[in-house]
Amino acid sequence: MYTLPSLEITRTYKAIAVLTSGGDAPGMNPAIRGVVRAALGQGIRVFGINRGYSGLIAGDMEEMNSASVSNIVQRGGTILKSDRCEGFKRPEVRAQAAEILRNHSIDALVVIGGDGSLTGAHLLFEETGIDVIGLPGTIDNDIFGTDDTIGFDTAVNTALDAIDKIRDTATSHERHFLVEVMGRNSGFIAINVGMAAGAELIVVPERAVEVSQISQELAESRQAGTGSSGIIVVAEGPEPGLTYRLAERLREHNQDPRVCILGHIQRGGSPTGHDRVLATCMGAMAVRYLCAGYSDIMVGVRDGRILDVPLHDVISFRKGLDPTLLDLALQVHR
Ligand code: F6P
């Protein structure tokens, strides 16, 4: 449960819009539902924009009502669809987007997405004056200013479920498995999944690790009789296929691991209860913040409190893995 700020309503809007952008994340649907129902509750019209910023610049939107978001809270993906829009990186395209919004009498936009999407939202506000509120929607949990992002908990549990199954066959065959999880440049999914799965090793981009060191640890644990099989959780890192390269190198060191890349399965599935509550609170709070006169902020959560974080900060700073947590995670699994 979250503590919500009490906000005074100081303004209202005739119409607002909501879109989902970037990699989809389980929980985007409850977030959309939160935005729509909270807006309607304040007498504000809401437009759902399809396919993220691409749909916005194509004017692909429709008005939503309460029934538009019925029976979606449990569904993975996003009913509004999503996209990574290269064009939105150009100011003239953002100006065009603002014009389209104004032509529909829409003065505010709620953007649910990751860092690239939130950067677009900030620039839209700065350059055109359209009010924006961002919601952190990404499985990666790599957004500065918030402890948690919509979809992270579901992705961790999805990966965990898969790893528990992989462990069965790893144990039967006395093998090591390299399991690659998503997270691009950040190890949040890897560290959480690794800890929860009791992984023998966790490899994250935040901490360099030598292949010879991994190999030696595997060999030592085999010799000690504590590690005839095991799971090594590997964060995907900036370049795809890291896990295959790692396996190749381990073979040169007389290891014979198997590789499993969990991939986009981590982005699908019904959101967990945790993600549904987080997304619903954030979606509804986006509307409350707008009506309290806020703009150019992201709704975040810190120490159980829902709060506003300037989008400028969100996109300027990098959220780091807590080094103490990293040390602890690596230590307890050796
Ligand atoms: O949404 C974040 C993310 O899932 C990353 O973890 C991953 O690297 C990337 O998206 C994959 O993106 P795409 O769907 O474009 O392959």
Side-chain angles (χ1 to χ4, degrees):
M1 278 299 143
Y2 302 102
T3 308
L4 307 178
S6 68
L7 299 169
E8 201 189 325
I9 296 183
T10 56
R11 65 163 298 179
T12 188
Y13 289 84
K14 278 206 192 80
I16 65 168
V18 56
L19 61 79
T20 49
S21 167
D24 64 348
M28 282 182 162
N29 282 332
I32 296 166
R33 180 173 169 271
V35 172
V36 171
R37 295 259 166 101
L40 294 174
Q42 295 291 329
I44 302 171
R45 295 171 69 195
V46 200
F47 287 80
I49 297 172
N50 294 310
R51 296 179 188 80
Y53 291 123
S54 301
L56 170 54
I57 56 188
D60 182 4
M61 61 181 87
E62 53 204 72
E63 188 161 356
M64 303 179 89
N65 55 35
S66 193
S68 320
V69 290
S70 285
N71 199 19
I72 66 165
V73 77
Q74 78 285 14
R75 282 165 57 187
T78 157
I79 58 162
L80 292 177
K81 307 208 183 311
S82 195
D83 190 24
R84 298 188 196 277
C85 179
E86 276 302 306
F88 208 71
K89 292 182 179 159
R90 302 207 307 272
E92 66 273 22
V93 175
R94 293 192 289 271
Q96 190 191 333
E99 205 180 309
I100 290 171
L101 288 170
R102 290 205 170 103
N103 288 342
H104 284 81
S105 304
I106 296 167
D107 297 320
L109 176 66
V110 178
V111 173
I112 309 169
D115 52 354
S117 310
L118 300 177
T119 302
H122 171 66
L123 294 174
L124 182 70
F125 169 80
E126 209 171 59
E127 294 164 3
T128 71
I130 294 281
D131 284 333
V132 297
I133 303 283
L135 301 188
T138 167
I139 64 164
D140 294 349
N141 198 16
D142 59 348
I143 306 285
F144 179 85
T146 184
D147 292 341
D148 202 359
T149 58
I150 296 165
F152 174 64
D153 184 65
T154 308
V156 166
N157 280 290
T158 300
L160 198 52
D161 192 40
I163 292 178
D164 287 347
K165 293 186 170 91
I166 293 168
R167 196 179 272 287
D168 290 344
T169 178
T171 310
S172 304
H173 285 267
E174 299 187 290
R175 278 175 177 157
H176 284 101
F177 270 78
L178 297 172
V179 183
E180 184 172 304
V181 296
M182 275 190 166
R184 222 187 305 252
N185 292 320
S186 74
F188 288 98
I189 296 181
I191 206 90
N192 278 267
V193 167
M195 283 182 90
E200 277 62 28
L201 269 173
I202 307 169
V203 180
V204 291
E206 289 85 350
R207 181 81 51 96
V209 57
E210 286 298 320
V211 175
S212 55
Q213 186 195 336
I214 300 177
S215 176
Q216 193 184 332
E217 288 194 22
L218 296 186
E220 278 170 8
S221 58
R222 255 188 215 282
Q223 267 166 15
T226 53
S228 58
S229 67
I231 302 290
I232 303 167
V233 172
V234 184
E236 62 180 346
E239 280 182 41
L242 165 71
T243 318
Y244 279 111
R245 290 195 294 282
L246 202 54
E248 268 313 301
R249 300 279 315 279
L250 284 171
R251 282 189 195 106
E252 289 163 16
H253 286 76
N254 299 322
Q255 302 292 334
D256 187 25
R258 294 296 186 270
V259 168
C260 181
I261 297 183
L262 297 182
H264 290 77
I265 192 173
Q266 295 159 97
R267 288 231 300 253
S270 180
T272 57
H274 173 93
D275 273 335
R276 293 183 203 189
V277 173
L278 177 70
T280 303
C281 286
M282 285 182 161
M285 286 308 297
V287 176
R288 287 206 194 165
Y289 274 115
L290 278 172
C291 294
Y294 289 71
S295 183
D296 197 23
I297 57 133
M298 178 189 77
V299 181
V301 61
R302 235 179 278 152
D303 301 326
R305 288 180 180 277
I306 297 287
L307 78 178
D308 60 291
V309 190
L311 276 176
H312 178 268
D313 292 355
V314 172
I315 63 173
S316 306
F317 301 108
R318 194 172 145 70
K319 176 169 158 185
L321 256 189
D322 180 347
T324 322
L325 179 70
L326 192 54
D327 286 340
L328 183 140
L330 298 176
Q331 203 176 36
V332 294
H333 297 299
R334 282 204 179 145

